[in-house]
Amino acid sequence: ADHLIAMKFHSDQEQGFFDYPVDNVGTEKLFANYFKKKKIKDLVVVSPDAGGAKDAKKFADLLGAKLAIIHKSRPDHNKSEVNHVVGDVDGKTCLLYDDMIDTAGSVTAAKEALLAHGANKDVYLAATHPVFSDPATERFKEAKFKEVVVSNSIPIPKRKEFKGLTVLSVAPLLAKIIRHVHEGKSVTEAML
């Protein structure tokens, strides 16, 4: 291999493990285009943890939205507890934004915390990688998000689908990037 195209690393520093060019493709514009069409009023983009705040801020800027951050702790593996909500969510429509969803424990706990802080009951969720390890699907069914929007970076088996799930295709974006790499053009321009 002499070039790598990756879809949303969990940490940007992972690019340092390669001795050749790496393009870490984000999905924020894909999601932003989708949510702009909804024309949601009083929108607040929420990072479900401090680690995702930088990405959530970029996403919020694309949508012209405010930012809030969930401060959480992890008492055990795949368990999270919300300690604080930083930012104004009272009476606002919240859009949780994350890079991946594993068991959905963090995002469902985040939704509960947002509602407890006065957020509009219509809470959205967007994430690039839908890992959906058990019991994610059951948690989503109970949590009743307004909509869960993910990319198809990971195929979702039929048994893990649920009402309110929307899957956006990354194929056009990846095809454009591959073409740009092949033709020696800017990958950044392909992502615009």
Side-chain angles (χ1 to χ4, degrees), residues 3 12 28-29 31-32 43 45 55 73 75 77 81 95 117 125-126 141 147 150 159 163 178 182:
H3 195 116
D12 288 338
E28 54 276 339
K29 290 185 179 151
F31 289 125
L43 182 65
V45 171
D55 285 341
S73 59
H77 178 67
E81 291 177 358
L95 167 52
H117 282 80
L125 169 62
K141 287 176 182 175
E147 187 177 17
V150 297
R159 65 182 173 77
K163 185 178 177 186
I178 291 166
H182 179 71

Side-chain angles (χ1 to χ4, degrees), residues 58-74:
K58 283 188 224 171
F59 185 54
D61 289 347
L62 287 172
L63 291 171
K66 300 286 186 192
L67 175 69
I69 302 166
I70 301 286
H71 179 261
K72 70 178 183 185
S73 59
R74 288 200 173 272

Side-chain angles (χ1 to χ4, degrees), residues 19-33:
D19 295 330
Y20 43 81
V22 175
D23 292 307
N24 183 19
V25 179
T27 52
E28 54 276 339
K29 290 185 179 151
L30 177 71
F31 289 125
N33 290 337

Side-chain angles (χ1 to χ4, degrees), residues 8-125:
K8 194 79 175 132
F9 281 141
H10 191 59
S11 172
D12 288 338
Q13 294 86 338
E14 291 172 23
Q15 294 180 58
F17 290 107
F18 301 93
D19 295 330
Y20 43 81
V22 175
D23 292 307
N24 183 19
V25 179
T27 52
E28 54 276 339
K29 290 185 179 151
L30 177 71
F31 289 125
N33 290 337
Y34 179 80
F35 281 102
K36 280 179 187 175
K37 292 174 188 167
K38 292 187 170 292
K39 298 182 181 180
I40 301 168
K41 294 187 182 347
D42 294 322
L43 182 65
V44 177
V45 171
V46 182
S47 175
D49 54 44
K54 184 177 160 187
D55 285 341
K57 173 65 172 135
K58 283 188 224 171
F59 185 54
D61 289 347
L62 287 172
L63 291 171
K66 300 286 186 192
L67 175 69
I69 302 166
I70 301 286
H71 179 261
K72 70 178 183 185
S73 59
R74 288 200 173 272
D76 205 353
H77 178 67
N78 275 345
K79 290 191 177 165
S80 69
E81 291 177 358
V82 174
N83 301 94
H84 304 286
V85 175
V86 180
D88 180 19
V89 298
D90 189 30
K92 309 284 195 277
T93 299
C94 294
L95 167 52
L96 282 157
Y97 181 69
D98 211 351
D99 61 342
M100 71 172 201
I101 303 167
D102 187 8
T103 63
S106 292
V107 292
T108 53
K111 180 185 183 232
E112 290 173 20
L114 293 170
L115 295 176
H117 282 80
N120 178 329
K121 67 178 178 58
D122 292 337
V123 176
Y124 293 84
L125 169 62

Side-chain angles (χ1 to χ4, degrees), residues 115-192:
L115 295 176
H117 282 80
N120 178 329
K121 67 178 178 58
D122 292 337
V123 176
Y124 293 84
L125 169 62
T128 302
H129 304 298
V131 178
F132 290 2
S133 300
D134 289 334
T137 302
E138 290 74 27
R139 285 178 172 162
F140 281 130
K141 287 176 182 175
E142 289 173 20
K144 294 184 171 85
F145 280 87
K146 175 72 174 172
E147 187 177 17
V148 176
V149 182
V150 297
S151 82
N152 63 348
S153 68
I154 299 172
I156 302 171
K158 279 276 192 217
R159 65 182 173 77
K160 293 197 176 194
E161 293 177 1
F162 51 91
K163 185 178 177 186
L165 175 66
T166 300
V167 181
L168 303 179
S169 177
V170 294
L173 174 63
L174 289 175
K176 193 174 179 184
I177 289 168
I178 291 166
R179 173 149 318 272
H180 275 238
V181 169
H182 179 71
E183 294 175 352
K185 294 180 181 176
S186 167
V187 171
T188 303
E189 286 178 16
M191 292 189 284
L192 297 177

